[in-house]
Structure formats: structure tokens, C-alpha cells
Amino acid sequence: MKKVITYGTFDLFHVGHLNILKRAKELGDYLVVAVSSDAFNAIKGKKCIIPDYERMEIVRAIKYVDEVIVEDSWDQKIDDVKKHNIDIFVMGDDWEGKFDFLKDYCEVVYLPRTPNISSTMIKTQLK
Ligand code: C2G
């Protein structure tokens, strides 16, 4: 079984999030998604509208997702890859190169972002 992992905040869940989860799952048989906690988003300097437990519930309900874990540190990825026997790490290409250190542990794939959609855009449009 080929296991894939990806990480994100997934605030105001939108089709860009759906597309990356769909494509990540297409690379393997089992998809683990690490959702950023509110506390970690504060560290990332990212203001969230939807609280972490709701963001996790929404991601858990997506048909491409097999397991949801919490992301609460920049430093957990190597442990996560080992603990979950991950074969492929996937992120959108806005992160291109940032996680290449994981190449010692698994395949690293950066996928093109979905154009013209982001949580920030949604928030701006609602103002
Ligand atoms: N994404 C995308 N297309 C968009 C918007 C987002 O492909 N239009 C992807 C991002 O590239 C990322 C995932 O969706 O791979 C989640 O995006 P965010 O929720 O914005 O996550 P981010 O804040 O980038 O957190 O440790 C990594 C961080 O947790 C990533």
C-alpha cells in the first residue's frame, strides 16, 4: 500500500484544497492529511476563520482522505513520515523546495496550485 501525506491549514475549505487532496490521493492508496492547529497557525502568523477541530472534521469528511492528524509544529514532518510509513510527501508548489529535506525519507512531490482561489481571496471578497 502506497501512503501519501500532505499538510495544510484548510481554512474556508475551497476547490484549491479539494484539488490538492484529490491529486495527492491519486499518487497512492492511502492519504494522511495533517491539519494545522490554531496554536500552530499563530506560529505561522496565519489568522484562521474556522477553528481547528472544525477544519479537521471537514477534511476528514473528504472522500480522498483516509486519516487526519494534527500539525502543531514545523518540526514534526520527519517523525510523521517515519511513524506513518509514508512513501510520498505532497505539497502545492507555493512550497516548492521548502521540504526537500524529506527526500532522505520519502518521495517529495510539489503539485501546481489551483489558480484564482485562496482562503485570503475569499476573506477579501467578504469584506
Ligand atoms: N493549495 C492549492 N491551491 C490553492 C490553494 C492552496 O493547491 N489555490 C494547496 C497549498 O499549496 C497547500 C494546501 O493546498 O499544499 C493547503 O493550503 P493552506 O491551507 O494554505 O496550507 P498552508 O497554510 O500552506 O500550510 O507545514 C505546511 C503548512 O501547514 C502548509
Side-chain angles (χ1 to χ4, degrees):
M1 174 167 72
K2 189 172 278 191
K3 297 186 75 177
V4 185
I5 196 167
T6 190
Y7 292 72
T9 303
F10 301 104
D11 192 29
L12 300 174
F13 197 86
H14 55 67
V15 74
H17 297 139
L18 186 65
N19 285 340
I20 191 101
L21 296 178
K22 180 175 186 295
R23 288 175 296 160
K25 181 59 178 282
E26 285 166 354
L27 295 175
D29 310 294
Y30 188 93
L31 175 61
V32 179
V33 182
V35 178
S36 309
S37 64
D38 291 341
F40 181 50
N41 274 316
I43 295 169
K44 286 198 294 193
K46 199 153 187 175
K47 179 105 183 61
C48 255
I49 303 287
I50 310 297
D52 49 21
Y53 52 93
E54 290 183 17
R55 289 185 281 110
M56 292 180 81
E57 273 312 299
I58 290 165
V59 171
R60 199 173 276 122
I62 302 294
K63 67 179 181 181
Y64 309 116
V65 178
D66 297 289
E67 184 177 354
V68 171
I69 61 173
V70 181
E71 179 186 29
D72 45 23
S73 153
W74 286 116
D75 308 320
Q76 69 183 74
K77 293 185 174 68
I78 293 174
D79 289 343
D80 290 346
V81 167
K82 288 179 182 169
K83 187 173 143 193
H84 294 274
N85 302 310
I86 297 298
D87 301 289
I88 307 175
F89 168 90
V90 173
M91 284 304 288
D93 61 6
D94 47 319
W95 292 94
E96 183 84 36
K98 297 285 192 310
F99 302 114
D100 287 356
F101 63 88
L102 289 170
K103 286 181 178 173
D104 295 337
Y105 306 94
C106 63
E107 197 182 332
V108 174
V109 175
Y110 299 102
L111 296 173
R113 276 173 70 92
T114 301
N116 309 318
I117 183 77
S118 72
S119 308
T120 308
M121 274 176 69
I122 295 170
K123 282 185 250 183
T124 308
Q125 283 163 10
L126 289 173
K127 278 181 183 152

